[in-house]
Amino acid sequence: MNRKRFLRIGGVLAALCLSLFLCGCGNQSGLSEEEIQQTVRRLIEEAAPLNEIFFGEGLPVEDYDEQAAEESAVAFHYVPVRADAPYQSVDEIKEAAGKVFAKSYLAGVYENAFEGTEEVYRRYAEGSEGRLTKNVKQTVKTTDEWTAWDFDSIKIKAAKSAVLIVEIDGRFAGRTETEQIVLEKENEGWRLASPTY
């Protein structure tokens, strides 16, 4: 073998090793493939009722005059949340959401849900008596607009020590599409860092 060819092969091998090192190929998450799939499924299932609270019908509210609320010129109408609702305060909702979603994802969700923006009034507010209320005039997703996930289709795209990226088929509006879901590892464990509704 001549020296030139040996150096060329050596250079190719060195470049290959370096690229493998830099891209960090392989599963570095500390979870098996099966554990990753189970974690993704569990978090997406746990996210469903929270997605309903943030983007769907929301928490149930006390009876109110729906016609008067709809005819009102203002873009908001806050009604107290029913006493039998699963959450009775903003802090309770945040506590539940923090067990499922990553802090990076929740920052945007909380802005719309609890603070509001120039374009959108907040979804929930605590009234003067500290009682949780919901803006019943906010547009919501209906049940037929939610994605139905095919958990058997989960494919792991990247498994780093602090980030998991998976692809999963979701059926929405009569068509199936492959979506990418990102999870981030926080002190308390893996959390969803992308939408799942």
Side-chain angles (χ1 to χ4, degrees), residues 103-180:
K103 290 175 181 71
S104 62
Y105 175 74
L106 285 173
V109 173
Y110 288 169
E111 181 179 38
N112 286 325
F114 307 124
E115 299 159 24
T117 65
E118 289 181 15
E119 298 85 27
V120 179
Y121 286 93
R122 61 187 167 181
R123 183 91 193 263
Y124 297 96
E126 289 181 354
S128 57
E129 298 172 10
R131 187 138 183 234
L132 186 64
T133 62
K134 181 180 83 172
N135 179 7
V136 294
K137 290 186 78 169
Q138 192 176 56
T139 307
V140 298
K141 290 174 75 74
T142 59
T143 309
D144 59 342
E145 294 178 305
W146 297 109
T147 303
W149 299 104
D150 176 6
F151 295 111
D152 294 331
S153 72
I154 296 173
K155 293 181 183 70
I156 300 163
K157 302 309 282 180
K160 307 296 182 192
S161 59
V163 176
L164 293 172
I165 301 172
V166 300
E167 285 184 347
I168 180 172
D169 292 340
R171 187 157 183 77
F172 175 78
R175 66 183 188 280
T176 300
E177 294 185 7
T178 301
E179 301 289 338
Q180 197 170 78

Side-chain angles (χ1 to χ4, degrees), residues 9-70:
I9 292 171
V12 169
L13 287 174
L16 180 63
C17 288
L18 181 61
S19 67
L20 287 173
F21 174 75
L22 290 176
C23 78
C25 294
N27 183 349
Q28 301 169 359
S29 68
L31 300 175
S32 69
E33 186 173 332
E34 184 179 340
E35 288 172 321
I36 291 172
Q37 291 171 338
Q38 290 171 351
T39 299
V40 170
R41 181 181 188 134
R42 177 182 55 79
L43 288 172
I44 289 175
E45 288 175 342
E46 290 175 2
L50 294 164
N51 286 333
E52 183 68 36
I53 289 169
F54 292 127
F55 310 110
E57 287 296 322
L59 293 171
V61 295
E62 292 182 353
D63 292 337
Y64 67 99
D65 186 341
E66 292 181 39
Q67 184 175 352
E70 207 155 301

